Amino acid sequence: MKPPPASGLLFCIFAAVGLFYSVIPRSPIHDVQRRQINSSQKYSGGIGTKMTVLPSWYISENDTVEINCFMHTDTSNKSDKMDLQLVWTSLHTKTKKVLMSQRASIGIFYVLNPVTHEHQGVYTCRGDGSLPDIYVHTWHYFIWVDDSSPPASIDVISHNRSQFANREEFTIGCQLPDDNNQWKMMRFDSWVGTIAECPNQVTSDRHLSCTSRSALPWADDLYWCESAAGDRTNALNVTTTVVMVVLETPTLPVWEGNNVTLRCLYRNRTTKEFTTKFRTVFYKDDRLKFVTNGASVTLPSVTKADEGLYKCRHPEEGLSPIRWIGVKARPDVAQKSDVLHQSSTRTL
Ligand SMILES: *[C@@H]1O[C@H](CO)[C@@H](O)[C@H](O)[C@H]1NC(C)=O
Ligand SMILES: *[C@@H]1O[C@H](CO)[C@@H](O)[C@H](O)[C@H]1NC(C)=O
Ligand SMILES: *[C@@H]1O[C@H](CO)[C@@H](O)[C@H](O)[C@H]1NC(C)=O
Ligand SMILES: *[C@@H]1O[C@H](CO)[C@@H](O)[C@H](O)[C@H]1NC(C)=O
Ligand SMILES: *[C@@H]1O[C@H](CO)[C@@H](O)[C@H](O)[C@H]1NC(C)=O
Ligand SMILES: *[C@@H]1O[C@H](CO)[C@@H](O)[C@H](O)[C@H]1NC(C)=O
Ligand SMILES: *[C@@H]1O[C@H](CO)[C@@H](O)[C@H](O)[C@H]1NC(C)=O
């Protein structure tokens, strides 16, 4: 296994916290959950870690990827006596490697430049285990390097969105190439950091699907299909949330010139029914963008300038999770047809 050609540098932890809080908006609930320290009393203290990765969406080959693994809470003042480790589990070889180790009080700044498909896998920020009485929260992040022409496609087929309320059922499908040999749908669970086959997969002809029910709130799971020969679709990021507000957006990047409709959905806690009739505020990159009364808004003929992180707000229930809308330049050749969209029935 070849180690990634990457350079690690020290990075001032205080600057990192300030910088990344302003660059990457996360839902506050998501943050609280991640910061939680195991409450069982066998530890004399705890260190809360956090990992940020930039760019945070759609990393492409040759991008410069910056990984930060740092401590942001320390209840025992032990962060200058133990190390944090950045561990990489390769998607290709499944082997683990400690990429860098550094005093927890300083933190790790690690750069992949240029990033390649070889770098794909799970990046874990954890303690070095040298102080067993200190609980160190582990953080996992999957770095997926997008393929500009993947051999197969993946999308949500049951809904027009990739954000789901807790315990909602949804189906993801892959459209496979002709030579369908032993494709499987895989899922990365960002909470525990594991990769497993999506259970109960259904294959028919050149189509593979898997129906899941979101179990853990605040999870950002990645789904993809892969063949025995190592071919893969791109990854689909699915967010499940305990808030009752979700944003309906295109789940895959859209072509320049398309009209893109955003819809804010609110799920009644009692009836579990979704409604869209309320005064909605839409945000782009944390700035107020539109206010509507119908909960839906269309971005006409989108350009690269419309690309960004969107979210919406229900008057009482608050904010949906964020969702990236990517805009691709239209190729000169004929546009790809999206078989998945045409062959599926969709429900709210
Ligand atoms: C918390 O600690 C208990 C006791 O060691 C362990 O069983 C449990 O799995 C831990 N929970 C988490 C979330 O790490
Ligand atoms: C998945 O989506 C969440 C937002 O819901 C985002 O914070 C995270 O960076 C995304 N993960 C990847 C690997 O793109
Ligand atoms: C990345 O860089 C390599 C070497 O310069 C080049 O061959 C490759 O086409 C580049 N890939 C992309 C997606 O730009
Ligand atoms: C940690 O260090 C700070 C500053 O030195 C001190 O005020 C605080 O009481 C210490 N906390 C613990 C739990 O030792
Ligand atoms: C976008 O909407 C406008 C106005 O409704 C319509 O004329 C146009 O054909 C639409 N464009 C696409 C690509 O659907
Ligand atoms: C949820 O639905 C119930 C039954 O229709 C209704 O009485 C209640 O007002 C709804 N709650 C909200 C917040 O809309
Ligand atoms: C999903 O999107 C498609 C294409 O834009 C549209 O025809 C369909 O009505 C949408 N379904 C729902 C439930 O919104």
Side-chain angles (χ1 to χ4, degrees):
M1 185 191 68
K2 195 161 61 76
S7 58
L9 339 159
L10 304 190
F11 194 73
C12 171
I13 189 73
F14 302 108
V17 172
L19 173 66
F20 288 100
Y21 268 106
S22 58
V23 173
I24 305 173
R26 274 180 178 272
S27 89
I29 290 171
H30 192 282
D31 255 7
V32 169
Q33 178 74 357
R34 292 286 190 170
R35 282 173 189 172
Q36 219 165 48
I37 285 167
N38 196 333
S39 57
S40 80
Q41 293 306 307
K42 67 173 190 159
Y43 302 110
S44 68
I47 288 186
T49 63
K50 180 157 179 162
M51 181 158 39
T52 62
V53 174
L54 280 181
S56 53
W57 300 83
Y58 292 105
I59 293 168
S60 306
E61 201 184 2
N62 298 343
D63 279 354
T64 298
V65 177
E66 298 178 355
I67 305 169
N68 265 271
C69 152
F70 55 92
M71 165 215 94
H72 65 90
T73 56
D74 177 9
T75 62
S76 53
N77 283 356
K78 291 281 171 61
S79 61
D80 56 351
K81 294 185 181 59
M82 60 166 295
D83 285 355
L84 287 182
Q85 292 181 337
L86 180 66
V87 181
W88 170 55
T89 309
S90 163
L91 175 64
H92 300 268
T93 63
K94 307 288 186 275
T95 50
K96 274 189 204 298
K97 183 178 194 311
V98 178
L99 298 176
M100 195 172 164
S101 205
Q102 182 57 256
R103 273 286 175 261
S105 52
I106 296 171
I108 294 173
F109 181 59
Y110 194 84
V111 178
L112 301 166
N113 183 27
V115 74
T116 69
H117 290 283
E118 290 294 311
H119 294 124
Q120 291 189 123
V122 184
Y123 289 75
T124 300
C125 177
R126 67 176 194 199
D128 66 350
S130 61
L131 299 175
D133 64 321
I134 304 297
Y135 175 79
V136 182
H137 186 62
T138 299
W139 193 290
H140 306 281
Y141 195 99
F142 200 110
I143 292 186
W144 188 277
V145 179
D146 235 51
D147 195 336
S148 54
S149 51
S153 63
I154 184 165
D155 202 355
V156 179
I157 57 175
S158 57
H159 298 73
N160 282 345
R161 56 187 157 101
S162 57
Q163 297 185 344
F164 298 98
N166 196 20
R167 307 298 301 157
E168 232 189 310
E169 196 176 87
F170 57 90
T171 302
I172 295 176
C174 288
Q175 198 63 42
L176 308 174
D178 290 326
D179 48 285
N180 168 11
N181 54 352
Q182 296 167 302
W183 284 74
K184 284 180 182 139
M185 193 181 292
M186 309 300 289
R187 174 167 63 187
F188 168 67
D189 181 327
S190 66
W191 189 247
V192 288
T194 53
I195 296 172
E197 278 180 37
C198 193
N200 310 318
Q201 299 182 25
V202 179
T203 318
S204 72
D205 194 16
R206 289 160 55 196
H207 188 77
L208 169 61
S209 69
C210 183
T211 298
S212 314
R213 192 181 280 279
S214 53
L216 261 180
W218 304 299
D220 291 324
D221 292 341
L222 286 188
Y223 289 80
W224 67 92
C225 288
E226 67 181 31
S227 74
D231 288 329
R232 290 187 184 86
T233 62
N234 278 325
L236 188 74
N237 186 333
V238 172
T239 302
T240 59
T241 172
V242 285
V243 294
M244 293 290 139
V245 187
V246 292
L247 178 62
E248 191 180 86
T249 60
T251 52
L252 301 175
V254 297
W255 297 107
E256 236 168 13
N258 279 14
N259 297 331
V260 171
T261 300
L262 309 178
R263 209 150 65 118
C264 198
L265 305 176
Y266 164 68
R267 192 190 205 196
N268 186 306
R269 285 180 193 277
T270 318
T271 63
K272 305 273 190 253
E273 296 291 318
F274 281 97
T275 57
T276 58
K277 296 276 177 278
F278 50 87
R279 187 175 178 276
T280 310
V281 184
F282 290 92
Y283 298 86
K284 174 177 185 273
D285 300 325
D286 272 342
R287 286 192 200 90
L288 193 151
K289 184 86 175 163
F290 311 99
V291 181
T292 68
N293 278 314
S296 135
V297 69
T298 298
L299 308 170
S301 190
V302 293
T303 65
K304 205 73 180 160
D306 292 306
E307 198 168 74
L309 288 169
Y310 288 79
K311 62 187 173 190
C312 65
R313 180 191 292 277
H314 178 273
E316 287 96 45
E317 194 66 28
L319 288 168
S320 72
I322 51 169
R323 181 70 202 179
W324 172 260
I325 296 182
V327 180
K328 300 181 289 183
R330 219 172 248 289
D332 300 331
V333 289
Q335 199 181 322
K336 278 192 246 170
S337 73
D338 193 344
V339 186
L340 283 172
H341 279 262
Q342 288 161 4
S343 64
S344 59
T345 52
R346 289 169 181 264
T347 54
L348 191 72

